[in-house]
Structures are given as structure tokens and as C-alpha cells.
């Protein structure tokens, strides 16, 4: 068991550029949704760097080429509803063979505690490398609860991928789940008195789905 999980901040210029427009209050729902998908895809590209490959040989029109393909590791993507749904298509564009599990959690607006309302997972979570996705890691309560739920279902390999984290959320997840590495595009300043990330992007679910 690791003492503390690792925190990776993706500083790729394309990710940072797109995140700027995601944050911008003037960005409308359609563009917001597209940008979240694009950043999720770029983050998936980074997070899959360590996937195992195996050697193969193919015949090109010119010669035989010794090359590589993915070694067939079983992956799972687990969005936390609702806002995590906004990242699914971007991730699945890169890893279409992954299975998708869903965990429905909302944060009680008064207590800020996560409330679970839905779950549907692949039946072989124990054999899959899971990536939990959610745009926002605020208090960390939702992510920590989702990861606990997955572990109770038998999951053994879990990573967490979010667009924006607050330091408080990173600490909560690292304390509760020291075996779960965290991948984000930015770590912001703090939480405000309503539990929103400052500077953040506002309410991710509302901005994705046009609700208020
Ligand atoms: C948001 C967000 C995370 C959670 C983060 O979801 O998508 O799931 O808040 O907050 P936390 O780290 O303090 O738990 P929300 O509860 O607003 O639900 P929604 O996705 O359905 O809008
Ligand atoms: N959930 C959001 O959607 N945004 C925040 O800033 C915090 C929690």
C-alpha cells in the first residue's frame, strides 16, 4: 500500500488553453460541452501513456514492419453523475473498448455531503483498471464516496481524473484513498463558503446541461 497517492497536473498548452474558455463565464452551453469533451480526450491521452503494449509484425505496402499494439488491458471508465457524463465521450474516443460504469451522486447543498442515488457497473470491476471521472473535485466528498463504493464492489485499481481540484478535495481523497492517484488540469486556490471552487468554473453540471 502506498503512503500517499500522486497528484498529476496536466500542463499541456492545449489543455490549459481550452480550460481557460471552459472557465470563462461568457462560454455558452454548447461550447462548454464541446470543450469539456476535448479536454477530457486530451487528458485521457496523457493518462494512458503507461498502457502496456506488445510487439506485432504487419506487412506495409513496402515491407514488413515490427511495431506495437495495445496489450489488451481491461479498462473501465466511471463517470460520477451528472457532470462526469460530460467527459465520457471525450475519453471513449480514445479508448473505445473501455466499459462504462455509472455512479449517481449529488452533493447536498446544505451539508455538502454526497448522496448516492444510482449505480450500474460492469460485472468484472475487480479485473479492470478504472478511471473515475468528474470535472470538479471540491470538498472531495463525492469522489471519495464513489471510490469507496467501487472498492466495496471489488475494484482494486482506481485512478481519479478531474478538470479542476481544490486543495481540500485533493487532501480528502489522498487521506481516504492513498492508493488512488489523481490527475487534474488545474489545482485552484480554495473553496468558498458554499463549497464552490475558487476560481473554478461555477456549477459544472448546470453549465453542461443548461440547468440552473
Ligand atoms: C458536483 C461535481 C462533483 C461534486 C464535487 O456535482 O460534479 O460530483 O459536485 O463536489 P465535492 O467534491 O464537494 O463532493 P453535483 O453534486 O453538483 O451534482 P451534479 O453533477 O448532478 O450537478
Ligand atoms: N461542484 C461544482 O460543480 N462546482 C464547484 O465549484 C464545486 C462543486
Amino acid at each position: 500500500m502506498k503512503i500517499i497517492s500522486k497528484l498529476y497536473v496536466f500542463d499541456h498548452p492545449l489543455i490549459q488553453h481550452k480550460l481557460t474558455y471552459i472557465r470563462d463565464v461568457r462560454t455558452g452551453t454548447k461550447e462548454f460541452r464541446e470543450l469539456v469533451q476535448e479536454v477530457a480526450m486530451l487528458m485521457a491521452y496523457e493518462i494512458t501513456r503507461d498502457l502496456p503494449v506488445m510487439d506485432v509484425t504487419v506487412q506495409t505496402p513496402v515491407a514488413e514492419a515490427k511495431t506495437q499494439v495495445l496489450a489488451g488491458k481491461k479498462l473501465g471508465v466511471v463517470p460520477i453523475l451528472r457532470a462526469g457524463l460530460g467527459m465520457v465521450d471525450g475519453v471513449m474516443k480514445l479508448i473505445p473498448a473501455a466499459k462504462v460504469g455509472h455512479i449517481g451522486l449529488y452533493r447536498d447543498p446544505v451539508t455538502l455531503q454526497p448522496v448516492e442515488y444510482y449505480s450500474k457497473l460492469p460485472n468484472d470491476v475487480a479485473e479492470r483498471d478504472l478511471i473515475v471521472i468528474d470535472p470538479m473535485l471540491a470538498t472531495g466528498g463525492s469522489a471519495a464516496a464513489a471510490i469507496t463504493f467501487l472498492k466495496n464492489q471489488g475494484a482494486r485499481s482506481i485512478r481519479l481524473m478531474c478538470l479542476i481540484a481544490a486543495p481540500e478535495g485533493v487532501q480528502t481523497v489522498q487521506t481516504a484513498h492513498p492508493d488512488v492517484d489523481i490527475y487534474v488540469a488545474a489545482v485552484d486556490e480554495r473553496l468558498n463558503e458554499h463549497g464552490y471552487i475558487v476560481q473554478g468554473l461555477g456549477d459544472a453540471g448546470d453549465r453542461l446541461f443548461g440547468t440552473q
Side-chain angles (χ1 to χ4, degrees), residues 65-124:
K66 290 194 189 320
T67 180
Q68 295 179 323
V69 292
L70 292 175
K73 197 151 182 71
K74 288 174 137 192
L75 297 175
V77 177
V78 184
I80 301 178
L81 309 183
R82 274 178 314 169
L85 288 176
M87 298 171 72
V88 173
D89 286 354
V91 174
M92 296 302 285
K93 274 199 179 114
L94 285 196
I95 42 173
K99 296 269 192 277
V100 183
H102 294 85
I103 298 180
L105 288 175
Y106 71 88
R107 199 172 69 151
D108 184 281
V110 178
T111 65
L112 301 184
Q113 291 306 303
V115 181
E116 192 185 317
Y117 60 88
Y118 181 77
S119 70
K120 181 77 184 172
L121 301 176
N123 56 15
D124 56 354

Side-chain angles (χ1 to χ4, degrees), residues 8 18 45 47 59 74 87 93 102 126 142 144 149 153 158 196 199:
Y8 298 90
K18 289 174 191 295
Y45 175 77
I47 207 174
Q59 182 69 42
K74 288 174 137 192
M87 298 171 72
K93 274 199 179 114
H102 294 85
S142 302
F149 175 79
Q153 301 301 309
I158 305 173
Y196 276 81
Q199 299 71 20

